[in-house]
Amino acid sequence: MNFEKIYQYNFPTTIRFGTGVINELGDYLIKNKLSNPLIVTDPIVSQLNFFKQIIEDLKKKNISVEVFSGIHKNPVKSDVYKGTEAFDQTKRDSIIGIGGGAALDVARAIVLRVNHREDLFKYDDLIGGDVYVTNDVPHFITVPTTAGTGSEVGRSAIIADNETHQKKILFSPKLLAKIIFADPMLTMELPPFVTAATGMDALTHNMEAFLVNTFHPMCDGIAAEGMSLIHQSLETAVNKPDLESRSKMLIASLMGAVAFQKGLGVVHSLAHPLSSLLDTHHGLANAVNIPYGMEFNIEGFEDKFKKIAKTLELKEETGSAVVNYLFEMNSKINIPHRLRDIGVKEEHIETLSDLALADFAHPNNPKPVSRQNFKDLYTKAL
Ligand SMILES: NC(=O)c1ccc[n+]([C@@H]2O[C@H](COP(=O)([O-])OP(=O)(O)OC[C@H]3O[C@@H](n4cnc5c(N)ncnc54)[C@H](O)[C@@H]3O)[C@@H](O)[C@H]2O)c1
Ligand SMILES: [Fe+2]
């Protein structure tokens, strides 16, 4: 670290966490004089019992509810435009995102679009678009129903272009939710595959954030504890879920997203192109790539891997023990070890390598990653 430098640390907003906390949502709206929320979710969550219950409870409190659920698995720009039309046409006064990262990202992008009507990708953070986010935004509330992305505490939304499928990041501190209702009960029925894939996304966030080489001891502490909580609970959450494992996973995923304000790394850059090109679930793409990405990172960062190994209670405190742990964890939660098992073919590798090199995550990786490195990593993982 450089003691003559000035650092900036941002921490999230009010988080209400715990069993049954979702029951506070109606009173919160009333207290804040919000009676016309747009609820943004995905088509699957909109059919689940807990979701119907939330809507019913709000209606009982005389809150007018409009649900928008027309979103893609990997959200695209037109989803955001359609959601904004729903907001306008039904004269809403606030936005509540209820769901996994996909639904929460669309909700956040609608929050942006309501009072920012230029082309959505003008606000792309990678081209400095955040400076155009100058107007007020509607009151925004998030309710996570997966334990993975931590998008509920984020300030960015990942939305893809309809045609090119390239993922863009919309970012602004204004896009942070005013309050988060994180209720582990909403994750109790998450299917094993979703639990496994989203859980490995959360582990990747904590581990990559921990490895980013900037001076941020607060986030390092959060990331280390996040990894520890996932170590204690992911296998149980997938194979024999109970309230303890669901609670630990939910808070750990939230912690991962707080920690990754430090940045992410090579694993996310390996993963993003799989979602753009092959529509692979984000968490699954990270899960398969993480052992290979971490193996690439060991050399030169042995001390950090020693700390990770300690956090994961490994007998041998080395980078290769961490890599073995990641492969073993994937086996225990039924995630394949090879990219070929999730639909990647040799002919995809050149395009994937181009997309990975162009991705926003790896510039924060502790060591530089070249196109050849990406190609070698994909080839190894194939
Ligand atoms: N904004 C950010 O900082 C950030 C970070 C990482 C990823 N992301 C984005 O998040 C998205 C992935 O989010 P995700 O991993 O949460 O997956 P997801 O939102 O796609 O959800 C996965 C699946 O689980 C279902 N589901 C959600 N909650 C459920 C529940 N309680 N019970 C049963 N089924 C449920 C969904 O319908 C979906 O089919 C990607 O679009 C990715 O780009 C955003
Ligand atoms: Fe992620």
Side-chain angles (χ1 to χ4, degrees), residues 149 201 205 260 264 268 282 286:
T149 68
D201 186 28
H205 293 156
F260 81 60
L264 290 165
H268 268 77
H282 174 72
N286 274 315

Side-chain angles (χ1 to χ4, degrees), residues 54-349:
I54 295 172
I55 303 297
E56 222 169 273
D57 289 350
L58 295 181
K59 284 184 177 163
K60 267 190 207 145
K61 295 201 148 127
N62 289 326
I63 292 163
S64 152
V65 178
E66 180 70 26
V67 176
F68 173 73
S69 62
I71 72 166
H72 288 80
K73 186 175 141 198
N74 281 299
V76 289
K77 184 167 149 182
S78 60
D79 300 341
V80 179
Y81 283 29
K82 285 183 189 146
T84 311
E85 267 167 40
F87 184 97
D88 290 343
Q89 282 168 6
T90 59
K91 302 199 171 23
R92 302 286 102 189
D93 59 12
S94 51
I95 295 180
I96 309 175
I98 303 181
L104 298 185
D105 276 7
V106 175
R108 181 171 290 111
I110 298 170
V111 167
L112 167 69
R113 183 149 179 82
V114 165
N115 290 326
H116 297 83
R117 293 302 172 103
E118 303 275 345
D119 185 278
L120 188 65
F121 295 150
K122 183 182 173 185
Y123 308 101
D124 178 0
D125 188 41
L126 291 181
I127 53 166
D130 58 320
V131 299
Y132 301 114
V133 188
T134 48
N135 300 331
D136 286 344
V137 298
H139 198 112
F140 182 38
I141 298 160
T142 53
V143 179
T145 68
T146 61
T149 68
S151 176
E152 59 275 13
V153 290
R155 294 165 298 165
S156 53
I158 302 178
I159 304 291
D161 186 276
N162 281 67
E163 275 84 44
T164 63
H165 299 290
Q166 206 189 349
K167 290 198 170 200
K168 312 270 186 182
I169 309 182
L170 308 168
F171 167 87
S172 167
K174 289 180 184 232
L175 304 182
L176 183 61
K178 289 263 185 314
I179 189 164
I180 294 126
F181 293 98
D183 189 335
M185 289 308 284
L186 306 186
T187 67
M188 283 312 278
E189 306 291 322
L190 262 182
F193 165 72
V194 183
T195 307
T198 51
M200 286 304 284
D201 186 28
L203 182 60
T204 310
H205 293 156
N206 282 294
M207 203 174 278
E208 290 207 297
F210 187 79
L211 286 169
V212 171
N213 231 349
T214 51
F215 180 68
H216 202 322
M218 289 187 277
C219 277
D220 290 344
I222 290 171
E225 186 60 17
M227 284 187 270
S228 170
L229 287 165
I230 294 169
H231 164 62
Q232 293 164 39
S233 56
L234 179 55
E235 204 188 326
T236 313
V238 173
N239 295 320
K240 217 170 168 254
D242 55 13
L243 186 59
E244 180 179 336
S245 59
R246 292 298 193 190
S247 301
K248 285 182 173 172
M249 284 307 301
L250 186 58
I251 195 71
S253 72
L254 218 144
M255 290 161 78
V258 174
F260 81 60
Q261 64 174 282
K262 278 183 75 189
L264 290 165
V266 61
V267 182
H268 268 77
S269 286
L270 287 164
H272 286 147
L274 298 185
S275 301
S276 319
L277 198 68
L278 305 168
D279 215 23
T280 312
H281 178 264
H282 174 72
L284 177 64
N286 274 315
V288 178
N289 280 301
I290 188 176
Y292 302 95
M294 286 302 152
E295 191 172 36
F296 169 80
N297 277 337
I298 298 171
E299 201 187 334
F301 297 92
E302 288 83 357
D303 283 359
K304 285 215 165 175
F305 276 94
K306 190 174 174 180
K307 284 186 187 164
I308 295 176
K310 240 191 187 104
T311 302
L312 300 173
E313 300 178 293
L314 304 183
K315 268 196 224 111
E316 203 193 303
E317 291 176 358
T318 63
S320 54
V322 172
V323 172
N324 287 339
Y325 172 89
L326 293 167
F327 277 122
E328 279 166 23
M329 178 59 87
N330 276 342
S331 296
K332 286 177 190 161
I333 60 175
N334 298 314
I335 293 213
H337 287 199
R338 302 242 155 238
L339 291 176
R340 68 179 72 241
D341 297 327
I342 58 167
V344 181
K345 299 201 165 65
E346 201 169 348
E347 71 225 39
H348 294 134
I349 288 184

